């Protein structure tokens, strides 16, 4: 394993120190509590958004803390959900009296730890609403299993719900629009290589030089199946088929598209892929009204990408366009 | 006859810490195949913190040892296994009678309470390829042994054996809970990391009670 | 080779199509002329900035086109400088009558192609000033060789000179501050793995699992030497030693720092490294007044990073803070 | 005696295109070792474009063929080799006398003019591990042969031999120009890609003129 680190056990703590040093004035990092929050938190009367998850997905979530998006993020160990103490501390730190929304990606660990924190917060008088993100259509939806994973749509939920909270939305409204964005989203991902966690020290899986993993998540796990590499335009078509089957989009509907790199894929390829996505969606009469191309919800150094399509209302587009000022996403401010 | 006292509880948890540390690589390798490759690191981190708590504390009662250890796992591990094992230990501790020690029947009931906590929190049924598939048979074997009049060493050894069998039996299963469920059919053919660590924990109990 | 592409020969053209589709309203892509320019170009009376270079360094340069930074960018084939026709077409397209600044990274190919284009532009009545960027201190400076490479400092030159042009700076002034930023900058890079160009189809070099290339550029070439991997804090110290020896910074001087990923390095590690940089520079009495951490000047999928330190005047800081609105860098707008 | 006419010029450039296409992988591999791994792709792209121009054009004079080919390389290749080879061909074309054909002495002078253009544009001296190290000896050998009364086939074969020797002699050199110079001492031990492609170009001339 070759990484720019010191001791594998200190990676998250030392990266947190770097984040603190890199964003003075904008972010506050509580090293004891292990969370990142807006420098101006708590904002009295504002609904606060807290998210978190394992580290290794940067800029998600710490890079999305700031006006117009999250109030706090709780980074767990690499690919390991944060613990309830962290989440509770962050929740209390940003609560401005109007309640707190937890944006939780649907993984067993994240769900359980956030749920425990929400119960503890309730005991201390903080009202918490949870928005569960489960957009990855590679996984079947079922009440008998852990269900679908939360992936790229997390960014859209955090941006759009965050904008509503910023402009004074009430707790129930902010949670509701977050859930609507999630329901309207579908994602699908491919991996060309496995990533390497500092703790494991070797790639999560080996892949022959002409094969890819299809339907992967963001934790370095293998996908639903292994296939031969195909040209980008074929992969895009298959991914969009899967997304649109699970989350149908009618002719004339407007969507936001995220072409998201998993960490090790050059931006050049992401743009090429976006070009293919635009072509296919145009053929199907779908109007892309906004889009984002880049590395936003990553899986360490995995070479791969995910495509997210979210059917949006005019109100969602308005909130998407609202000012945001975070390390990872910034416009209008 | 104080079968289960503070000394035994701390000895068990220390042995558990040694076991998950020694086999952290194995657990991580199993978790790399069908999960995200952190199960070994998670439990090592958690049980190392548990040992630190044991080192720095006086315990009024045996239940307390488990409650504090469980709270520590919940605070330090994260992921799926932190809340699950943490809740199990807390439930075990809370189910034990107050005071310095408890008897074998108390421990059997407490272990069952721990299993119930895991099932309630995680929602996994037997056969879902999780911790439950080792923990369930272990508790059943422990209860049977106690009902049959066995002493602690024998009951613990039986539980460890059942946990091991349960862990191995997860190999052909298709996971329905946890990260391995995302792999669908591809999760079959690999032993579940959590069931394997459960076996290590019961084996640790068997080891510290062995005559 | 596994990449999200169709035919290796079409990568740059198809990525350009994706860029055009992804930034309607902000960027205009001339597919015949092979350049990217501001949608509102030419701006009458404004000094225009044109840069370019081989593709594979995204977001550099196309991602830095927009108000407050570049007026146009010319992407060459992967790692191959653009041709004079392209540069000439872009130069003419954005010339607003106040002259054009070419920001050129110091590589033989880039220098020659831009020089030919500048001569052709002069023939057509467009005045061109060239700012050469050569910040990579891993290479000795010498009149007998090709000299130092242009790397991370290109971003600072484009941002700061771009801001001056935006607020009405004259041709000579814009070129002058660009040159000052370059002179005040030093960079140093490490690679953990080689990148793979679509044309070559295999990594540029092989590296054992415990060795790194020290003093690499951004074209996948091997570095000055090979060394054993060391902890991040040691690597940072060595890099800063090299930079500060070549470009001395006095106690109390203010600097802008860029910790830049080469494409395959997780943001988590870049932040960890930034933390080390902040520690070392604080020890030496250097004041970091602004900083940027991320993948900005990349080398396809190479795992590696560069550190750039630029000694800045108050005026440079003011121009750094000025609004910028590009796909790759955006604030205040 | 029209040694050098439009037919010969186009035949040479087509043979050159075939040669750099056939050996594109070799050139790229050499460039991967001490450069950025695109030299083969660059020349293949450039000479493919040259052939397209040859296919679609009528040429008034032999010089024109080289001027147009040079301009095409400049427009299509980029990098260091595009302007260098492009300028060389343009200079060769401009140095040839106007009209359908030229003699051997004209060609010798033109090849020298091409070398001068490369040296002026790139600033490389002999021994800097560049195109110049193959091109220089090739021109000198060609001039010597012509001065000694040799015919074109013999002069071209001598130039190709000298270019090959020159290219091989770059191996121990430390590069002082081009991307390889960034490697410092580490550039030694590798044959220069540009000198190698120059050899291919002169070998193409030898091949098309061979009796
Ligand atoms: N719902 C559940 N109920 C019981 N055990 C579970 C459940 N989900 C996951 N597990 C267990 O947790 C183990 C993984 O733990 P760990 O790797 O530490 O956490 P994570 O999956 O968050 O990375 C699995 O092997 C499985 O045995
Ligand atoms: N200044 C120079 N003068 C002559 N030849 C040069 C010079 N710089 C580079 N070259 C030649 O160019 C070759 C590399 O060409 P190519 O790979 O196509 O371009 P680039 O270096 O821009 O990638 C080198 O091997 C070298 O022979
Ligand atoms: Mg995990
Ligand atoms: Mg795991
Ligand atoms: Mg090149
Ligand atoms: Mg090259």
């Amino acid at each position: 394993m070759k990484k720019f680190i010191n001791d594998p056990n200190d990676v998250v703590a030392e990266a947190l120190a770097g984040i603190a040093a890199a964003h003075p004035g904008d972010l506050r990092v509580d090293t004891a509590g292990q969370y990142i929050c807006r420098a101006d938190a708590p904002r009295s009367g504002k609904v606060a958004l807290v998210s978190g998850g394992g580290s290794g997905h940067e800029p998600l979530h710490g890079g999305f803390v700031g006006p117009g998006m999250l109030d706090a993020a709780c980074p767990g160990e690499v690919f390991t959900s944060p613990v309830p103490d962290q989440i509770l501390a962050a929740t209390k730190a940003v609560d401005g009296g109007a309640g707190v929304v937890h944006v939780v990606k649907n993984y067993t660990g994240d769900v359980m730890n956030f749920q425990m924190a929400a119960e503890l917060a309730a005991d201390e008088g903080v009202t918490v609403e949870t928005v569960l993100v489960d957009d990855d259509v590679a996984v079947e939806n079922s009440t008998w299993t852990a269900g679908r994973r939360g992936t790229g749509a997390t960014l859209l939920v955090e941006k759009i719900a965050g904008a509503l909270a910023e402009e004074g939305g009430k707790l129930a409204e902010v949670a509701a629009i977050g859930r609507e964005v999630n329901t309207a989203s579908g994602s699908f991902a491919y991996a060309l290589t496995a990533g390497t966690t500092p703790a494991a020290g070797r790639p999560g899986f080996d892949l022959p030089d002409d094969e890819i993993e299809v339907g992967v998540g963001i934790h370095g796990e293998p996908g639903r199946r292994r296939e031969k590499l195909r040209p980008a335009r074929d992969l895009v078509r298959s991914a969009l088929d899967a997304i649109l089957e699970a989350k149908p989009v009618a002719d004339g509907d407007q969507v936001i598209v995220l072409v998201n790199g998993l960490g090790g894929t050059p931006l050049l390829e992401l743009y090429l892929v976006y070009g293919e996505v635009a072509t296919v969606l145009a053929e199907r009469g779908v109007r892309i009204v906004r889009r984002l191309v880049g590395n936003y919800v990553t899986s360490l150094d995995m070479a791969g990408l995910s495509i997210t399509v979210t059917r949006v209302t005019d109100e969602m587009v308005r909130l998407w366009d609202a000012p945001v000022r975070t390390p990872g996403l910034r416009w209008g401010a | 006859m104080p079968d289960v006292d503070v000394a035994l509880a701390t000895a068990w948890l220390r042995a558990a810490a040694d076991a998950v540390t020694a086999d952290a690589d194995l657990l991580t390798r199993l978790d790399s195949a069908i999960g995200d490759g952190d199960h070994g690191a998670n439990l090592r981190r958690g049980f190392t913190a548990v040992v630190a708590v044991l080192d720095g504390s006086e315990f009024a009662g045996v239940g307390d040892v488990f409650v504090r250890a469980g709270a520590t796992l919940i605070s330090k591990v994260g992921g799926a296994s932190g809340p699950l094992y943490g809740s199990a230990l807390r439930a075990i501790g809370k189910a034990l009678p107050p005071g310095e020690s408890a008897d074998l029947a108390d421990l059997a009931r407490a272990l069952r309470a721990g299993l119930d906590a895991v099932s309630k929190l995680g929602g996994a049924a037997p056969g879902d390829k999780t911790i439950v598939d080792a923990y369930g048979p272990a508790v059943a074997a422990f209860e049977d042994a106690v009902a049959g009049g066995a002493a602690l060493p024998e009951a613990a050894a039986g539980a460890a054996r059942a946990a091991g069998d349960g862990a191995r039996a997860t190999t052909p299963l298709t996971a329905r809970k946890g990260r391995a469920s995302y792999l669908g059919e591809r999760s079959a053919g690999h032993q579940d990391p959590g069931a394997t660590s459960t076996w290590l924990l019961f084996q640790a109990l068997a080891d510290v009670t062995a005559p």
Side-chain angles (χ1 to χ4, degrees), chain A residues 9 77-85 106-110 112-113 115-116 138-139 143-149 197 199-200 202-205 213-215 219-226, chain B residues 25 28-29 32-38 41-42 44-45 71 73-84 86-87 118 121-123 128 175-186:
Chain A
N9 294 313
E77 289 298 316
V78 173
F79 291 170
T80 302
S81 85
V83 299
D85 304 27
N106 186 36
Y107 298 98
T108 307
D110 293 69
M112 290 189 307
N113 285 284
Q115 182 186 316
M116 288 184 167
V139 174
T143 44
W144 301 106
T145 67
R148 288 181 164 147
R149 294 173 285 217
T197 62
R202 56 184 106 74
F205 50 82
E213 288 282 343
V214 175
H219 293 89
E221 67 271 38
R224 299 292 289 188
R225 58 183 183 279
R226 203 165 267 203
Chain B
D25 277 357
T28 287
R29 206 158 51 237
S32 288
I34 55 171
D36 57 353
D38 61 356
N42 286 346
R44 185 176 49 207
R45 186 173 64 252
L73 290 184
I74 292 171
S75 301
K76 296 293 176 188
V77 177
S81 55
L84 289 169
S87 300
V118 168
L121 184 59
D128 283 354
R176 276 188 296 260
K177 293 286 179 198
R179 290 188 198 285
S181 70
Y182 306 137
L183 272 72
E185 314 277 283
R186 285 181 80 185

Side-chain angles (χ1 to χ4, degrees), chain A residues 1-302:
Chain A
M1 170 183 59
K2 289 191 284 190
K3 292 187 176 293
F4 294 107
I5 61 174
N6 298 304
D7 184 318
N9 294 313
D10 302 334
V11 171
V12 174
E14 292 180 357
L16 259 184
I19 291 171
H23 302 287
D26 288 322
L27 301 183
R28 194 168 72 225
V29 173
D30 185 311
T31 38
Q34 284 230 72
Y35 61 84
I36 302 166
C37 70
R38 285 173 61 161
D40 61 358
R43 306 268 300 170
S44 170
K46 175 186 173 298
V47 171
L49 270 80
V50 174
S51 191
S55 292
H57 308 304
E58 293 67 28
L60 187 84
H61 298 270
F64 298 146
V65 174
M69 219 161 161
L70 296 179
D71 293 80
C74 305
E77 289 298 316
V78 173
F79 291 170
T80 302
S81 85
V83 299
D85 304 27
Q86 258 176 292
I87 303 167
L88 177 64
T91 300
K92 284 162 61 183
V94 299
D95 176 39
V100 179
V101 172
H102 284 178
V103 179
V104 183
K105 302 194 296 306
N106 186 36
Y107 298 98
T108 307
D110 293 69
V111 170
M112 290 189 307
N113 285 284
F114 269 93
Q115 182 186 316
M116 288 184 167
E119 283 164 16
L120 295 170
D123 290 350
E124 303 199 27
V126 181
T127 319
V128 172
E129 281 275 347
T130 298
V131 174
L132 205 64
V133 184
D134 62 345
D135 55 313
D136 180 8
V137 304
V139 174
E140 296 297 313
N141 223 356
S142 151
T143 44
W144 301 106
T145 67
R148 288 181 164 147
R149 294 173 285 217
T151 61
T154 316
L155 182 152
L156 285 105
V157 170
E158 293 178 358
K159 172 68 186 80
I160 291 172
L164 187 59
E166 197 69 44
E167 66 180 40
K170 301 266 163 292
L171 181 62
E173 294 163 357
V174 172
I177 201 157
R179 292 185 190 117
E180 283 163 32
V181 170
N182 174 59
T183 305
S185 299
S187 299
F188 197 94
Y190 296 105
L192 306 183
T193 65
T196 301
T197 62
R202 56 184 106 74
F205 50 82
D206 286 320
L207 210 46
D209 207 40
D210 61 342
E211 293 189 6
I212 63 175
E213 288 282 343
V214 175
V216 296
I218 54 172
H219 293 89
E221 67 271 38
R224 299 292 289 188
R225 58 183 183 279
R226 203 165 267 203
E227 288 183 5
K228 292 284 174 208
L229 178 62
R230 292 180 287 146
R233 66 171 66 91
D234 293 357
L235 295 176
V236 164
R237 224 165 258 281
S238 301
L240 289 173
D241 284 344
I243 293 169
L244 299 182
E245 193 194 311
K247 303 278 174 146
V249 172
D251 210 314
D253 274 354
Q254 50 185 15
V255 301
I256 298 181
V257 167
L258 168 63
V259 170
N260 172 62
L262 293 181
T265 294
L267 200 47
L268 192 71
E269 295 174 36
L270 299 182
Y271 271 116
L272 186 151
V273 164
Y274 179 73
E276 302 292 350
V277 170
T279 301
V280 174
L281 289 184
E283 276 171 28
R284 305 199 182 170
V286 177
R287 280 190 305 135
I288 307 179
V289 291
R290 298 290 184 276
R291 78 287 298 158
L292 210 52
V293 180
N295 288 281
Y296 293 103
V297 180
T298 63
S299 183
L300 291 173
D301 52 345
M302 176 175 267

